[in-house]
Amino acid sequence: MNAYEFEMTEELDYTKQAYYEVMRLDTPFSISSTNTVTQPCKIMGIDLVPGDAFFINMGAIHRDPLEWQ
């Protein structure tokens, strides 16, 4: 019998869906690495200019009931 390898998950729909749901609920990192903008822009009413740094709250996105009904 062969040992289980992650690549085998693609063939196991239920296992793959369970894995992705666990990763969504218990994300391995709650905040992204630093991002910067390269052009002036406005995000949710906040003006950003090139070089401005920001983070993405991955934990909040993964638990947003508007995205995951």
Side-chain angles (χ1 to χ4, degrees), residues 32-47:
S32 72
S33 60
T34 305
N35 296 281
T36 58
V37 295
T38 58
Q39 298 177 16
C41 64
K42 183 179 281 196
I43 300 175
M44 298 184 73
I46 300 170
D47 291 315

